[in-house]
């Protein structure tokens, strides 16, 4: 038989969907700022494997020569991102939602099972979790911690003299700028995997993040807890 | 949830789903409308007005936290390097360092006559050696060994920047200080504004030496501003005039869409 299953509380859904465009604005405006001193690369010695970013990338998305504009957007929308993030963390703590989210002793072993299974390297399906599997717990908790890291490294770059203690804790002004950038690359990588998993998990899972409920098949009434997995 | 038939469950899901997607669509439209509104607002010096307002709020918060005891880190002198000479606006040809004088004026109401100073008048002040990181608004930074005199020492020695005409005493007579300092190059092509708190910060220098040598022309000889509480854009080179006033001064880059405060 079919049953409506509660997936995500209203507040979490709003936090999630506000975060998405605002984070996108922060990454875009951050790139406008980064353009003015685009020195980061992956490589060794004189060999560059990947340059952040090739000129064609700036041209494609019109990201060059817009430093002032980038700073203005960044230092306006930082408020929205931080307020949304703080409210999200407070809500997760006080509603008890954190219990679903924070990894526990089993999460890491389970995460390995999930990754092997999703990459088609293992046929053993990972255990059915209550809401998030171990891989999700680790990823979602990590992204919240990364958010805190972005705030701290961002503050250090923003006010390196008034917050000199913070900047020096992070290895200095130049280091804080690099860390701020690396965290951003992290969000982009997270986003790619997240989107892939959401597509894999299907429509019902996506609808769960919008409507808060999913329609699930339950074999019989005696096993109401045997619910489908959420992913993405 | 009450037990319900498959059909009821499907209908209920559809109902909830429709409502949520409608609300979501509404939020999307509201966001798009907000975006369009933001981009339709009047431009103030290259930035839409709401951005200027939030930057003003950021400035207020930063000003509240600002303290002259918050110092930029200092480095050992051997870390110092020569920074890129990034800006040459205001460094026009035909400048004669030999006849250079620094003009200091009060508020623009003609109360007190302008005074002039020579480089020796600045050199006479207690010399400060400071190895700090110059931070360009572009995002690069360089440790530089600066030599010069504190702005506050200059103001104290020559009794500048106050309403009373007495030497400033920020500890006891905060209100006697004028609120802003404007500086411009002799050709008036480059100009910066500072709020008084930053101007009298102990690391704000009238600088005449860089990495142990007299300032090079491209770095602002004979006298430039150095202040690790601001981005490099405020480190005006070749200062010609300093004006104290209660009016917020124009600032070259603030007119080009940058934040006026630009405080670090």
């Amino acid at each position: 038989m079919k049953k409506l299953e509660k997936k995500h509380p209203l507040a979490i859904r709003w936090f999630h969907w506000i975060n998405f465009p605002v984070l996108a604005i922060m990454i875009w405006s951050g790139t406008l700022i980064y353009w003015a001193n685009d020195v980061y690369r992956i490589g060794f010695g004189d060999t560059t494997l990947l340059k952040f970013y090739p000129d064609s990338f700036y041209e494609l998305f019109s990201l060059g020569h817009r430093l002032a504009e980038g700073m203005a957007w960044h230092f306006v929308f930082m408020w929205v991102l931080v307020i949304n993030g703080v409210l999200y963390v407070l809500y997760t703590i006080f509603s008890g939602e954190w219990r679903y989210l924070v990894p526990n002793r089993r999460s890491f072993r389970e995460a390995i099972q999930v990754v092997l299974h999703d990459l088609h390297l293992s046929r053993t399906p990972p255990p059915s979790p209550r809401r998030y599997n171990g891989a999700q717990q680790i990823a979602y908790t990590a992204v919240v911690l990364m958010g805190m890291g972005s705030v701290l490294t961002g503050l250090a770059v923003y006010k390196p003299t008034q917050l000199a203690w913070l900047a020096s804790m992070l290895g200095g002004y130049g280091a804080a700028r690099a860390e701020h950038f690396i965290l951003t690359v992290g969000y982009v990588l997270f986003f790619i995997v997240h989107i892939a998993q959401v597509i894999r998990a299907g429509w019902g899972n996506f609808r769960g993040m919008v409507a808060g409920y999913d329609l699930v098949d339950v074999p019989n009434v005696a096993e109401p807890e045997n619910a489908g997995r959420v992913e993405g | 949830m009450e037990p319900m038939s498959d059909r009821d469950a499907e209908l209920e899901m559809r109902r909830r789903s429709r409502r949520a997607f409608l609300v979501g669509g509404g939020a999307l439209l509201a966001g798009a409308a907000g975006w369009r509104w933001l981009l339709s607002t009047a431009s103030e010096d290259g930035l839409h007005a709401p951005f200027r307002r939030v930057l003003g709020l950021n400035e207020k918060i930063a000003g509240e936290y600002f303290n002259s005891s918050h110092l930029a880190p200092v480095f050992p002198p051997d870390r110092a390097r020569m920074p890129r000479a990034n800006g040459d606006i205001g460094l026009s040809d035909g400048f004669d360092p030999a006849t250079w004088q620094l003009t200091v004026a009060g508020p623009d109401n003609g109360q007190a006559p302008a005074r002039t100073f020579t480089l020796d008048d600045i050199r006479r002040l207690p010399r400060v050696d400071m190895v700090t990181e110059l931070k360009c608004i572009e995002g690069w930074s360089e440790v530089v060994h600066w030599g010069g005199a504190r702005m506050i020492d200059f103001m104290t020695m020559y009794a500048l920047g106050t309403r009373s005409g007495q030497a400033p005493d920020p500890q006891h007579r905060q209100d006697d200080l004028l609120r802003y300092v404007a500086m411009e190059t002799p050709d008036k092509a480059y100009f910066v504004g500072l709020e008084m708190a930053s101007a009298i910060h102990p690391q704000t220098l009238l600088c005449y030496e860089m990495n142990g040598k007299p300032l090079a022309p491209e770095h602002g000889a004979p006298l430039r501003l150095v202040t690790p509480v601001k981005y490099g854009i405020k480190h005006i080179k070749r200062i010609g005039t300093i004006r104290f006033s209660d009016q917020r001064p124009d600032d070259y880059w603030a007119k080009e869409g940058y934040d006026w405060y630009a405080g670090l």
Side-chain angles (χ1 to χ4, degrees):
Chain A
M1 71 171 280
K2 289 195 168 99
K3 171 177 166 289
L4 278 182
E5 193 189 51
K6 182 98 178 108
K7 289 282 176 181
H8 306 287
L10 181 67
I12 297 266
R13 284 177 277 143
W14 275 106
F15 293 136
H16 173 268
W17 288 112
I18 288 171
N19 187 67
F20 171 50
V22 175
L23 183 58
I25 288 173
M26 290 304 279
I27 293 175
W28 164 72
S29 56
T31 311
L32 299 185
I33 297 169
Y34 171 73
W35 167 87
N37 184 39
D38 61 338
V39 289
Y40 302 142
R41 66 188 183 109
I42 294 174
F44 46 90
D46 288 337
T47 314
T48 297
L49 300 174
L50 182 61
K51 179 176 167 18
F52 299 101
Y53 299 94
D55 289 343
S56 55
F57 174 77
Y58 297 117
E59 272 164 39
L60 184 61
F61 299 104
S62 311
L63 298 166
H65 304 276
R66 295 172 75 178
L67 171 60
E69 191 186 354
M71 292 181 84
W73 283 86
H74 214 65
F75 299 144
V76 169
F77 279 85
M78 65 176 185
W79 289 112
V80 188
L81 192 74
V82 166
I83 291 168
N84 190 59
V86 168
L87 289 178
Y88 167 78
V89 169
L90 289 177
Y91 177 86
T92 341
I93 291 170
F94 288 108
S95 67
E97 286 281 314
W98 65 271
R99 286 189 192 86
Y100 300 111
L101 214 64
V102 175
N104 52 36
R105 272 179 299 129
R106 282 162 302 166
S107 301
F108 291 90
R109 183 206 294 246
E110 194 183 301
I112 294 168
Q113 288 175 328
V114 171
V115 170
L116 290 178
H117 178 260
D118 289 357
L119 293 175
H120 302 282
L121 297 173
S122 153
R123 280 167 192 277
T124 333
S128 219
R130 273 179 68 89
R131 184 171 305 173
Y132 300 126
N133 64 46
Q136 287 177 299
Q137 287 174 327
I138 291 168
Y140 298 161
T141 302
V143 90
V144 172
L145 294 175
M146 282 162 63
M148 295 174 187
S150 286
V151 172
L152 292 177
T153 54
L155 278 170
V157 177
Y158 186 46
K159 300 291 171 195
T161 299
Q162 299 309 311
L163 302 172
W165 58 272
L166 180 62
S168 70
M169 229 172 63
L170 295 164
Y173 176 73
R177 184 179 188 260
E179 289 151 13
H180 199 66
F181 183 85
I182 291 166
L183 285 166
T184 307
V185 173
Y187 298 126
V188 175
L189 297 178
F190 173 91
F191 180 75
I192 292 168
V193 176
H194 188 53
I195 293 301
Q197 291 286 46
V198 167
I199 292 171
R200 249 174 40 93
W203 171 250
N205 169 64
F206 177 79
R207 185 177 54 189
M209 200 62 210
V210 177
Y213 285 84
D214 194 5
L215 196 58
V216 292
D217 280 313
V218 278
N220 58 58
V221 196
E223 287 179 79
E225 286 303 311
N226 187 12
R229 292 165 52 195
V230 198
E231 283 199 30
Chain B
M1 191 143 304
E2 293 293 308
M4 51 173 95
S5 72
D6 279 12
R7 172 114 187 96
D8 284 351
E10 261 167 34
L11 283 176
E12 174 67 8
M13 186 66 238
R14 207 171 294 168
R15 198 179 60 77
R16 284 181 178 278
S17 188
R18 186 168 49 232
R19 197 176 59 195
F21 275 96
L22 279 175
V23 170
L28 206 62
L29 284 177
W35 184 276
R36 284 190 59 171
W37 166 79
L38 202 51
L39 296 183
S40 74
T41 53
S43 172
E44 286 176 18
D45 292 332
L47 278 187
H48 292 289
F51 288 97
R52 285 278 176 214
R53 276 204 290 281
V54 178
L55 293 186
L57 173 79
N58 293 352
E59 176 178 338
K60 229 177 215 159
I61 294 167
E64 287 295 321
Y65 185 74
F66 185 96
N67 196 299
S68 56
S69 68
H70 297 156
L71 299 177
V74 291
F75 299 83
D78 63 358
R79 283 278 310 276
R81 298 285 179 276
M82 216 53 183
R84 207 184 299 171
N86 223 25
D88 61 359
I89 305 156
L91 306 184
S92 48
D93 296 339
F95 171 73
D96 181 10
T99 60
W100 173 88
Q101 284 192 314
L102 175 64
T103 305
V104 178
D108 237 344
N109 52 16
Q111 271 178 348
R115 296 165 66 182
T116 54
F117 298 88
T118 63
L119 194 55
D120 280 341
D121 294 330
I122 314 289
R123 286 183 179 276
R124 202 167 292 139
L125 298 163
R127 183 200 156 87
V128 175
D129 275 277
M130 184 174 88
V131 186
T132 51
E133 195 172 23
L134 169 66
K135 295 167 189 90
C136 179
I137 200 161
E138 291 171 348
W140 54 267
S141 55
E142 196 81 83
V143 175
V144 183
H145 182 165
W146 311 101
R150 286 195 180 94
M151 180 71 184
I152 182 65
D153 290 348
F154 175 65
M155 292 164 61
T156 305
M157 169 88 102
Y158 299 110
L160 300 167
T162 56
R163 286 167 227 284
S164 63
Q166 297 177 317
D169 183 0
Q171 303 287 319
H172 304 103
R173 287 183 289 116
Q174 179 79 45
D175 289 346
D176 192 28
L177 284 165
L178 289 152
R179 290 175 59 202
Y180 294 101
V181 185
M183 299 190 186
E184 64 181 11
T185 53
D187 65 1
K188 303 187 192 309
Y190 197 76
F191 40 92
V192 300
L194 301 169
E195 80 293 346
M196 188 55 84
S198 291
I200 62 174
H201 186 276
Q203 291 177 311
T204 298
L205 306 186
L206 294 171
C207 162
Y208 44 76
E209 267 185 31
M210 209 169 150
N211 294 342
K213 297 199 186 79
L215 271 185
E218 69 273 21
H219 288 297
L223 192 69
R224 75 174 301 175
L225 187 73
V226 168
T227 174
V229 296
K230 298 288 184 191
Y231 277 119
I233 48 171
K234 297 274 192 190
H235 294 48
I236 182 172
K237 298 167 178 175
R238 195 191 285 176
I239 306 170
T241 306
I242 298 178
R243 186 184 306 278
F244 296 95
S245 87
D246 279 327
Q247 255 82 55
R248 192 174 169 100
D250 279 351
D251 186 279
Y252 183 90
W253 286 108
K255 285 176 165 301
E256 301 288 328
Y258 288 86
D259 178 25
W260 185 92
Y261 187 68
L264 298 175

